[in-house]
Amino acid sequence: MSNSIQAHLKTEVSATFIINALLNGGIAWALLHGKSMLTLRGEEGIAVDLVITAFLLCLLLSWITIALQRRKLSSGQFPDVPAGRFNGLRQIIRYLPDRAFGAALCIGLAGTLIYAAPTIALLGLFGIEQLSVTHYLIFKTLWTGLIAALTCPLAVLFPAFKSTATATPAPLAGETGN
């Protein structure tokens, strides 16, 4: 097994996609299997579900992943991250709180804005005001897997970048190093 950061991220992202797609699809089926149609708006609508799902998924995924990756980092099982790699994620992580839950909370809030808001807007823009439960289950299964896969690298790399960022912050673009 390769110990490169690319192989590590590929494994983590793939597992995260599969686990979260199946888990969230299963939860959605358990909650919705007795209904026939869902509306976009309303108290029990698709929009509310997407907002809650995006927040909780990003929060829990990040909190758990950060804790697991910190253990790997402290035990020497985390691959080295070459200098200059993942600078965009490094800069985002630089501004997150040091504690796992604080960072996960920020990622959860950002995930809600980045994933749920545009999805709801696009559904409305395309005139999708209701979906059958079957279509929504397929959509939500794929959507949650995708969100998990997109959020995963940030949470995986958090411990590697934050441990060095607290000692000597990485310079922002345009700044000179120490």
Side-chain angles (χ1 to χ4, degrees):
M1 180 172 136
S2 173
N3 64 353
S4 75
I5 191 64
Q6 293 86 355
H8 183 67
L9 280 172
K10 183 179 180 181
T11 301
E12 295 293 329
V13 168
S14 299
T16 298
F17 176 87
I18 293 166
I19 291 166
N20 282 282
L22 294 175
L23 182 63
N24 282 286
I27 291 169
W29 179 85
L31 294 174
L32 301 172
H33 75 277
K35 298 183 180 189
S36 60
M37 293 298 285
L38 299 171
T39 60
L40 181 60
R41 292 163 183 48
E43 192 174 304
E44 294 182 11
I46 294 168
V48 171
D49 184 55
L50 293 178
V51 167
I52 292 168
T53 299
F55 175 72
L56 290 176
L57 175 63
C58 292
L59 171 81
L60 295 174
L61 169 82
S62 298
W63 195 20
I64 292 166
T65 301
I66 289 169
L68 293 173
Q69 300 305 314
R70 277 189 172 157
R71 282 192 199 112
K72 288 181 181 179
L73 187 66
S74 66
S75 69
Q77 297 174 332
F78 195 93
D80 289 332
V81 182
R85 291 295 316 260
F86 309 106
N87 285 332
L89 290 176
R90 187 183 305 262
Q91 297 310 323
I92 293 168
I93 291 168
R94 178 181 184 180
Y95 291 103
L96 291 173
D98 293 339
R99 296 192 171 232
F101 185 76
L105 183 61
C106 290
I107 293 168
L109 292 169
T112 304
L113 294 173
I114 294 167
Y115 303 126
T119 302
I120 294 164
L122 285 172
L123 289 171
L125 183 67
F126 289 119
I128 301 171
E129 292 295 324
Q130 62 181 8
L131 285 171
S132 71
V133 169
T134 303
H135 287 123
Y136 184 64
L137 290 175
I138 293 166
F139 168 78
K140 188 169 182 186
T141 298
L142 296 173
W143 187 75
T144 54
L146 180 62
I147 288 173
L150 292 172
T151 304
C152 182
L154 182 65
V156 167
L157 293 170
F158 179 89
F161 292 158
K162 205 52 160 175
S163 66
T164 58
T166 50
T168 50
L172 290 172
E175 289 182 349
T176 58
N178 294 346

